[in-house]
Amino acid sequence: FTFTPGVNYVVTKAPLTISAVTDTKVYDRDTASTALPTVSGLLSTDTVTGLVQAYADRNAGSGDKTLTVTAYTLTDGNGGANYTVSTVANTTGTITPKTLTAGLTGTVEKVYDGTTAATLAAGNYSLTGVIDGDTVTTSGTGAYDTKHTGTGKTVTADGLTLSGADKDNYTLAAMSTSANIGVITPKAVTITPDSGQTMVYNGATPAPTLTYTPDSALAAGEEFAGTLALTDPARHAGTYAI
């Protein structure tokens, strides 16, 4: 071995690669990844701690979301200067939508109309599981269990869909929901006897067939049935109230 004065001895940096790995999580309104990056090229007793990787954004997406290394601490006795560090992104991350449970609340009320159709307001719908700060609502098509009057009637909302700025980050556990929140009140109907009804005196107590006209309040396909009577069923000629 011959030592040559004036010639420098150079120690070059070793390559160190930190790579983001595939991860899947349920939407939580955060970009944090639940997996840790991998490290290759680390030598001797040197260490890499504090490894963190994150999604490029917080929104739900399947198999195509980018994961990047966002933090690490390299300890090599030289302030990390013994390595040339490169980080590698991964484009196979997945954030699945968070599942919500829809419900009905309040009161849904109408006057009897011969149908089971129920009109639900925005306030009649509830969603369980929405993360604070997100905007998401649901709506559907409402129906009573029967067309008949009553209280505490079962109302069902079918065909539920989500809307709002953050709707794509959520999914519904079921497309319908029911609750006993329905009220159908009786509908008033006016019955008007037809004017000008007459009969010829026949010597007996009159029992004429009287005619009448129900107003348009009757539901489609329904009719009023009854026998109208004179207020004073007198047998003599004269004018009587119906």
Side-chain angles (χ1 to χ4, degrees), residues 20-238:
V21 299
T22 299
D23 187 25
T24 297
K25 73 169 185 176
V26 176
Y27 172 78
D28 61 1
R29 207 169 189 267
D30 197 296
T31 59
S33 170
T34 57
L36 298 179
T38 60
V39 179
S40 61
L42 194 65
L43 302 174
S44 186
T45 59
D46 298 340
T47 61
V48 177
T49 58
L51 289 162
V52 178
Q53 65 179 39
Y55 291 87
D57 62 75
R58 65 182 175 88
N59 297 313
S62 180
D64 59 358
K65 300 190 69 66
T66 299
L67 291 154
T68 58
V69 177
T70 57
Y72 63 88
T73 299
L74 173 59
T75 303
D76 61 359
N78 191 29
N82 290 332
Y83 293 89
T84 299
V85 180
S86 59
T87 58
V88 179
N90 189 304
T91 59
T92 60
T94 296
I95 299 178
T96 59
K98 189 175 190 292
T99 300
L100 303 179
T101 300
L104 296 178
T105 188
T107 302
V108 179
E109 184 173 354
K110 74 171 182 178
V111 176
Y112 176 79
D113 62 4
T115 75
T116 60
T119 301
L120 280 74
N124 291 128
Y125 293 96
S126 65
L127 282 174
T128 302
V130 178
I131 300 173
D132 288 345
D134 279 353
T135 301
V136 59
T137 58
T138 189
S139 61
T141 301
Y144 292 88
D145 51 349
T146 70
K147 69 177 183 177
H148 304 299
T149 60
T151 60
K153 296 177 66 64
T154 300
V155 175
T156 300
D158 285 315
L160 296 177
T161 58
L162 294 176
S163 58
D166 301 291
K167 66 181 180 63
D168 293 335
N169 292 318
Y170 295 91
T171 188
L172 286 167
M175 296 298 105
S176 66
T177 186
S178 300
N180 298 328
I181 61 172
V183 176
I184 299 180
T185 59
K187 185 173 188 178
V189 176
T190 301
I191 304 300
T192 305
D194 295 334
S195 62
Q197 300 184 64
T198 62
M199 67 171 287
V200 177
Y201 171 73
N202 60 11
T205 300
T209 300
L210 302 176
T211 61
Y212 53 87
T213 303
D215 67 13
S216 59
L218 283 174
E222 298 187 354
E223 61 183 22
F224 176 85
T227 299
L228 299 185
L230 299 177
T231 56
D232 179 5
R235 59 185 297 270
H236 302 294

